[in-house]
Amino acid sequence: MSHPHPELGPPPPLSPDALRVVALGGLGEIGRNMAVFEYRGKLLIVDCGVLFPEEEQPGVDLILPDFDYIRDRLDDVEALVLTHGHEDHIGAVPFLLRERPDIPLVGSRLTLALLSAKLGEHRIKPETVQVAEDDRRSFGPFDLEFLAVNHSIPDALAVAVRTEAGTLLHTGDFKMDQLPLDGRLTDLAGFARLGSEGVDLLMADSTNAEVPGFVTSERDISPVIDSVFDQADQRIIVACFASHVHRVQQVLDSAKAHGRKVAFVGRSMVRNMNIARDLGYLTVPADLLVDVKQLDDLRPDEAVLVSTGSQGEPMSALTRMANRDHQIRIEQGDTVLLASSLIPGNENSVNRVINGLTRWGAKVVHKGNALVHVSGHAPAGELLYVHNMVRPRNFMPVHGEWRHMRAHARVAALAGLDEDRICLAEDGVVVDLHKGRARITGKVQAGYVYVDGASVGDVTESALKDRRILGEEGFISVIVAVDSTSGKIVGEPEIHTRGAGIGVEAYDEVIPKVQDSLEKAASDGITDPHQLRQLVRRGIGRWVNETYRRRPMIVPVIVEI
């Protein structure tokens, strides 16, 4: 089993008869999926998604892949293939197209429609190539074949990439639901056919590799949703991903059966469901939908709201309802249905939302107490099935945290693949497919790029560390006036504090110490403002740490007069 190593250096020049694979995101994390393939000087990209920030990344809106590896070679990009329309696969496309707007975007009908709406908000008119399952298209030296896969969003695709260096199969996100709501099965026959032709490298979804068995069918959710509707005697608020068309369809069907009206809440939910309805992926019974402004005209037992916020996102509609910061007020007796999985890292945020909703009297139904969601990712039994069908010569687990990828590597080994043909890589690790063997050959930069408002890439890890310190420990500013010629202190230092939890009177103890150190520095001929600031910072910092066992941010200001 090939393992990445921190000491890996830059990869060697690519052999003319080799195919290079570099994941710029999606390995060792849930999100930010992006893979770059290189062959004979040309590049093909599969997916370009975002990662959503966690609590230790305050102020960050989105996390992008680092485009530095391809930034100087954007003209070599033949196409960007999008396997499906989830944000962790398409969310970073607008940022890539800012650097080269005419990259052809290749995807299914729904995927391109969702992406085009997003790009419209960025005032980008893309060049698109619509494909469907069973299509074959060539882009430069890459011959692509698209296969249907079942996922938690319609129109998802796997892609086979054929080059003279070998054939690669990228599954995208998939599962093998045998009774999907839309009747669109994962193309197992196509996988098996590719396997018989010979797949040199399989890159497959690892998100559920730790979960044994086979996935529960989406159809098993419908009776549970119906029972929630049966038991609710006031409003029902359903929170799910804004792209989960199948789940919304189930809610609409239950609402119709129970004589309720439905309103979509949240900009992305309204936009995506309108697109899905217009393209025929969402069937909306006549007179079922109402505008959110019409809810006041309905009795509580006639209303259903479908909202975003199932992951506890701070600005989502559901979170704002829980915080009493939304026009829709949670009332005693309301039922809230969280109809989605829990993305790792969001547990605390979701629990806060559940507690907030419960505080106002809502009954909250979620995955922990009812079967209200099934995953969109294949568990271990299905992954083993795929490995036995495809029989790849080499395997690279993708799309998952380390524990998921290692579990998927064990599945591949159980299916009979030699461990030295399993490439366990992380973001930025270079894998070259050459003469039928896939090997790790180096590493390139593939760090986080933070989006903070209109700023892209300006927020650094150092800035995030400062934000965490400010949030956890507060700050102390010290203003000292000194004579510009002699460096002697003029007057008494002025101290201001925010969030440090230290009373103003407590600084009477340390101010004389600061004055003494500055006077000693002046007598030693030290007048450089930077050195004086360091003296103040060390003196205040040592005192705070020894007295209060705290480490606030200390901002000394030297004013020369």
Side-chain angles (χ1 to χ4, degrees):
M1 190 179 294
S2 299
H3 295 273
H5 301 284
E7 66 272 11
L8 280 172
L14 182 61
S15 170
D17 55 349
L19 173 67
R20 176 160 288 174
V21 180
V22 182
L24 297 182
L27 304 190
E29 60 196 357
I30 303 291
R32 216 170 60 112
N33 298 291
M34 183 176 182
V36 178
F37 305 115
E38 179 179 357
Y39 182 64
R40 292 191 174 170
K42 297 298 181 181
L43 304 178
L44 177 77
I45 303 173
V46 174
D47 290 329
C48 187
V50 297
L51 181 67
F52 294 102
E54 298 183 2
E55 289 182 354
E56 63 268 22
Q57 293 151 338
V60 174
D61 300 316
L62 298 170
I63 305 171
L64 309 178
D66 188 342
F67 301 143
D68 271 357
Y69 172 63
I70 59 171
R71 184 162 277 119
D72 295 336
R73 300 188 56 195
L74 288 175
D75 289 340
D76 295 331
V77 177
E78 296 286 349
L80 167 54
V81 176
L82 303 158
T83 58
H84 63 282
H86 281 151
E87 285 294 300
D88 59 336
H89 291 257
I90 68 170
V93 174
F95 301 93
L96 181 62
L97 293 192
R98 287 181 187 179
E99 308 200 23
R100 185 190 152 193
D102 64 342
I103 296 176
L105 306 181
V106 184
S108 65
R109 187 171 175 232
L110 179 61
T111 301
L112 291 180
L114 294 174
L115 180 56
S116 294
K118 174 185 291 292
L119 292 172
E121 296 176 357
H122 289 258
R123 299 181 181 179
I124 297 172
K125 188 169 178 60
E127 179 182 325
T128 60
V129 180
Q130 183 175 309
V131 295
E133 55 263 34
D134 304 325
D135 283 354
R136 285 188 73 161
R137 297 287 182 94
S138 290
F139 297 89
F142 305 100
D143 176 26
L144 309 184
E145 179 181 354
F146 300 92
L147 301 95
V149 290
N150 181 245
H151 187 40
S152 53
I153 186 173
D155 249 7
L157 295 169
V159 58
V161 181
R162 292 181 174 90
T163 68
E164 292 181 16
T167 297
L168 179 151
L169 175 59
H170 192 304
T171 66
D173 286 353
F174 82 103
K175 61 178 176 176
M176 289 161 48
D177 189 342
Q178 298 302 296
L179 295 169
L181 292 174
D182 58 5
R184 188 172 177 271
L185 295 162
T186 292
D187 188 0
L188 302 182
F191 281 17
R193 172 177 51 78
L194 285 168
S196 63
E197 292 175 9
V199 171
D200 295 287
L201 178 61
L202 173 66
M203 299 173 66
D205 177 15
S206 307
T207 308
N208 266 357
E210 287 185 311
V211 180
F214 287 70
V215 76
T216 303
S217 175
E218 289 277 352
R219 292 180 185 270
D220 293 346
I221 303 298
S222 295
V224 181
I225 293 176
D226 275 333
S227 71
V228 171
F229 275 71
D230 284 336
Q231 297 170 26
D233 53 13
Q234 293 198 54
R235 291 182 305 178
I236 299 173
I237 300 165
V238 181
C240 66
F241 293 117
S243 57
H244 205 329
V245 178
H246 296 148
R247 187 71 72 250
V248 173
Q249 185 68 66
Q250 291 170 308
V251 172
L252 295 183
D253 293 342
S254 285
K256 177 67 175 177
H258 289 80
R260 289 178 179 254
K261 302 290 186 182
V262 177
F264 293 133
V265 182
R267 187 167 58 91
S268 58
M269 179 67 72
V270 172
R271 180 192 67 198
N272 288 0
M273 291 308 117
N274 283 338
I275 291 170
R277 179 179 60 180
D278 293 344
L279 296 181
Y281 295 96
L282 186 70
T283 302
V284 182
D287 302 324
L288 182 70
L289 290 183
V290 297
D291 189 272
V292 69
K293 296 175 183 175
Q294 298 174 260
L295 290 175
D296 290 340
D297 299 331
L298 300 174
R299 297 195 315 269
D301 61 352
E302 294 177 322
V304 178
L305 291 80
V306 181
S307 164
T308 55
S310 62
Q311 300 303 306
E313 304 94 321
M315 295 307 295
S316 67
L318 192 68
T319 300
R320 291 169 58 203
M321 291 179 209
N323 294 336
R324 275 288 201 261
D325 184 29
H326 196 277
Q327 66 191 59
I328 296 167
R329 311 280 284 186
I330 297 295
E331 304 290 347
Q332 181 78 29
D334 286 344
T335 298
V336 178
L337 173 60
L338 299 181
S340 66
S341 61
L342 187 58
I343 294 175
N346 292 345
E347 294 86 354
N348 290 339
S349 299
V350 172
N351 286 334
R352 276 197 298 270
V353 170
I354 291 173
N355 281 323
L357 296 167
T358 306
R359 176 187 180 190
W360 306 119
K363 175 186 177 183
V364 182
V365 181
H366 54 87
K367 191 179 179 182
N369 58 26
L371 180 62
V372 292
H373 179 74
V374 295
S375 176
H377 303 272
E382 297 182 7
L383 295 176
L384 184 58
Y385 198 97
V386 168
H387 280 271
N388 284 331
M389 278 192 303
V390 176
R391 289 290 176 187
R393 295 185 179 95
N394 302 273
F395 171 60
M396 179 177 172
V398 296
H399 300 180
E401 297 176 340
W402 268 106
R403 58 196 178 102
H404 306 131
M405 295 195 301
R406 287 197 178 277
H408 201 172
R410 289 193 292 271
V411 169
L414 285 172
L417 193 61
D418 290 343
E419 289 199 353
D420 65 350
R421 288 183 175 267
I422 300 172
C423 292
L424 260 177
E426 59 188 339
D427 293 342
V429 168
V430 178
V431 175
D432 286 349
L433 177 65
H434 186 224
K435 296 182 179 180
R437 292 297 296 262
R439 291 184 176 88
I440 289 173
T441 58
K443 191 172 184 178
V444 301
Q445 179 177 318
Y448 283 0
V449 174
Y450 298 107
V451 178
D452 183 356
S455 166
V456 179
D458 294 334
V459 176
T460 63
E461 291 292 345
S462 175
L464 289 180
K465 180 181 178 182
D466 287 347
R467 291 181 182 184
R468 287 192 290 269
I469 292 171
L470 285 169
E472 295 167 4
E473 304 282 356
F475 81 94
I476 299 169
S477 66
V478 187
I479 303 171
V480 182
V482 298
D483 186 283
S484 59
T485 305
S486 65
K488 290 185 177 180
I489 188 170
V490 179
E492 187 175 275
E494 187 177 322
I495 296 182
H496 301 274
T497 181
R498 289 290 185 275
I502 303 172
V504 176
E505 64 282 352
Y507 294 105
D508 293 342
E509 177 185 337
V510 74
I511 285 176
K513 297 179 182 178
V514 173
Q515 290 174 305
D516 289 345
S517 64
L518 289 173
E519 288 170 1
K520 183 177 184 303
S523 66
D524 291 339
I526 298 174
T527 60
D528 177 51
H530 174 72
Q531 290 181 276
L532 298 179
R533 282 195 297 270
Q534 290 297 93
L535 276 173
V536 173
R537 181 181 286 111
R538 282 195 293 267
I540 295 287
R542 190 182 304 112
W543 173 77
V544 172
N545 188 39
E546 291 174 354
T547 309
Y548 295 96
R549 294 292 185 267
R550 295 177 192 164
R551 302 189 69 178
M553 180 175 289
I554 299 169
V555 184
V557 179
I558 302 296
V559 180
E560 295 181 293
I561 58 175

